[in-house]
Amino acid sequence: MASSNKDVKDPIRVVITGAAGQIAYSLVYQICSGEVFGKDQSIILHLLDITPMMGVLQGLIMEVEDISLPIVKNVIPTDNEETAFKDVDVALFVGAMPRKEGMERKDLLSANVKIFKSQGIALDKFAKKSVKVLVVGNPANTNCYILAHYAPSIPRENFTCLTRLDHNRAKGQIASRLKISPDLVKNVIIWGNHSSTQFPDVRFSTVVVDGKETSVYKAIQNDNWLKNEFVSIVQKRGAAVIAARKLSSAMSAAKAICDHMRDWWQGTKDNEWVSMGVISDGSYGIEKGLVFSYPIHIKNGKLSIVQDLKLDDWSREMIDKTQKELIEEKNDALTATSSQ
């Protein structure tokens, strides 16, 4: 799989967990094609999954070979955490225990604590200290909290969880309502948990309609829709996809992972932000240390929370609600860690 391009940069190592799953299947091509880290950035891909999935991973490797992508230097399939996390620059935690019918949230948290505790310890021990971490597997915020808890030697600002899919869904709903392209919608915010308590906020968003930039509220002229139906659609979109497809979002999740990492790698435009779950520094009155989705600006690989956005009573109430759920999840997860 060696590349012959002389201008290609030395390879970075990227690990994907849950690599035999359907999100990873959509994700691998986008990463290996140069969409995320650049067409001149060669890659060594580490694919981690459980032992029974090793045969499936061989099939995935055959496909990567058959696509003949020039930046792919090597693909390493493994069921071993040391091999998976050794010297990685980027860690994409896609794998998690899915919620099964009749499963209580505490049972789900307990199963995931076990996974993310083990992987956190391995990440801490074997990955580069500069590793950029993205947790996708649900419950993503709390899984990220546990992972970071067990990888104390990696800087706190290197841990993120995925709320870009919710961000993209919010943009898509506004664009659809106005019959414009989603790239004409900017600065939506997802606050809080990647769950049905998240707060999709467009009070600071702008759109370009007929060549003119205007606020979303002015363009849509229906505050009731924006405060009720729009919020509900975005909050419940994942469940709606499952109901329709009988499978969870994969293609859109993979695209959101790529958007998240590309922006982290390459930066956001001035005066523009994206939504990412990060470890709270106390901004907007959120408990310090909680993994919470904020508006994030990125420059030279450094994430910063956009400050001084004014919150009205309604948005404060929405943010408090999602924070309350996250604190409960965190406490349940910490209880589960002490019993393991």
Side-chain angles (χ1 to χ4, degrees), residues 165-219:
L165 178 53
D166 309 301
H167 179 101
N168 289 350
R169 285 166 172 164
K171 276 178 76 164
Q173 288 302 311
I174 298 298
S176 172
R177 181 88 178 184
L178 293 170
K179 298 183 169 54
I180 59 172
S181 168
D183 60 3
L184 297 175
V185 183
K186 73 177 188 193
N187 291 352
V188 306
I189 304 169
I190 303 296
W191 299 95
N193 198 2
H194 173 64
S195 76
S196 59
T197 67
Q198 63 176 269
F199 172 35
D201 182 4
V202 290
R203 292 170 314 115
F204 307 98
S205 308
T206 60
V207 288
V208 176
V209 182
D210 301 327
K212 287 199 187 93
E213 188 168 67
T214 182
S215 80
V216 164
Y217 270 77
K218 211 175 263 185

Side-chain angles (χ1 to χ4, degrees), residues 93-164:
F93 289 85
V94 180
M97 166 72 79
R99 191 167 189 161
K100 299 188 176 109
E101 218 171 322
M103 191 185 245
E104 292 292 321
R105 193 178 71 175
K106 282 185 181 177
D107 298 335
L108 182 69
L109 281 168
S110 182
N112 278 300
V113 160
K114 204 172 178 181
I115 295 167
F116 284 87
K117 177 180 178 179
S118 175
Q119 292 185 351
I121 292 165
L123 186 77
D124 199 56
K125 203 169 173 186
F126 302 116
K128 287 185 181 171
K129 296 306 171 199
S130 57
V131 63
K132 287 179 163 62
V133 175
L134 170 58
V135 177
V136 179
N138 287 320
N141 298 58
T142 302
N143 286 342
C144 183
Y145 178 88
I146 293 297
L147 189 78
H149 182 76
Y150 285 102
S153 70
I154 292 165
R156 303 297 85 184
E157 59 271 21
N158 290 23
F159 289 92
T160 65
C161 81
L162 189 75
T163 55
R164 185 59 173 268

Side-chain angles (χ1 to χ4, degrees), residues 35-313:
E35 289 294 314
V36 180
F37 303 109
K39 304 274 185 194
D40 60 347
Q41 178 59 68
S42 63
I43 285 171
I44 296 170
L45 202 57
H46 296 208
L47 302 175
L48 176 68
D49 216 311
I50 55 175
T51 311
M53 289 293 160
M54 289 303 103
V56 175
L57 284 188
Q58 286 304 330
L60 184 58
I61 290 168
M62 287 182 216
E63 288 209 61
V64 173
E65 281 180 348
D66 295 347
I67 301 167
S68 304
L69 294 159
I71 62 170
V72 182
K73 292 286 191 185
N74 196 8
V75 184
I76 301 161
T78 185
D79 56 2
N80 175 278
E81 288 177 343
E82 179 176 352
T83 306
F85 296 115
K86 185 81 176 139
D87 296 332
V88 293
D89 300 275
V90 175
L92 307 175
F93 289 85
V94 180
M97 166 72 79
R99 191 167 189 161
K100 299 188 176 109
E101 218 171 322
M103 191 185 245
E104 292 292 321
R105 193 178 71 175
K106 282 185 181 177
D107 298 335
L108 182 69
L109 281 168
S110 182
N112 278 300
V113 160
K114 204 172 178 181
I115 295 167
F116 284 87
K117 177 180 178 179
S118 175
Q119 292 185 351
I121 292 165
L123 186 77
D124 199 56
K125 203 169 173 186
F126 302 116
K128 287 185 181 171
K129 296 306 171 199
S130 57
V131 63
K132 287 179 163 62
V133 175
L134 170 58
V135 177
V136 179
N138 287 320
N141 298 58
T142 302
N143 286 342
C144 183
Y145 178 88
I146 293 297
L147 189 78
H149 182 76
Y150 285 102
S153 70
I154 292 165
R156 303 297 85 184
E157 59 271 21
N158 290 23
F159 289 92
T160 65
C161 81
L162 189 75
T163 55
R164 185 59 173 268
L165 178 53
D166 309 301
H167 179 101
N168 289 350
R169 285 166 172 164
K171 276 178 76 164
Q173 288 302 311
I174 298 298
S176 172
R177 181 88 178 184
L178 293 170
K179 298 183 169 54
I180 59 172
S181 168
D183 60 3
L184 297 175
V185 183
K186 73 177 188 193
N187 291 352
V188 306
I189 304 169
I190 303 296
W191 299 95
N193 198 2
H194 173 64
S195 76
S196 59
T197 67
Q198 63 176 269
F199 172 35
D201 182 4
V202 290
R203 292 170 314 115
F204 307 98
S205 308
T206 60
V207 288
V208 176
V209 182
D210 301 327
K212 287 199 187 93
E213 188 168 67
T214 182
S215 80
V216 164
Y217 270 77
K218 211 175 263 185
I220 286 189
Q221 295 184 334
N222 186 336
D223 291 16
N224 187 43
W225 182 81
L226 284 168
K227 286 191 163 188
N228 294 288
E229 195 181 340
F230 162 73
V231 169
S232 180
I233 288 169
V234 178
Q235 286 176 332
K236 296 170 183 168
R237 186 68 159 189
V241 171
I242 290 173
R245 275 192 87 225
K246 311 293 179 259
L247 292 164
S248 59
S249 313
M251 183 168 54
S252 55
K255 163 70 165 52
I257 292 165
C258 292
D259 290 346
H260 177 114
M261 290 312 304
R262 186 187 60 247
D263 286 340
W264 196 351
W265 211 256
Q266 299 177 17
T268 50
K269 292 177 187 164
D270 290 344
N271 306 314
E272 285 191 30
W273 60 68
V274 292
S275 302
M276 287 184 174
V278 297
I279 295 177
S280 171
D281 60 0
S283 292
Y284 298 97
I286 300 305
E287 182 182 300
K288 206 173 172 188
L290 210 57
V291 178
F292 198 87
S293 182
Y294 283 105
I296 301 287
H297 183 73
I298 307 157
K299 197 166 189 178
N300 303 323
K302 188 181 183 311
L303 310 178
S304 51
I305 296 168
V306 177
Q307 298 295 335
D308 305 321
L309 298 174
K310 294 217 171 356
L311 304 177
D312 58 17
D313 290 347

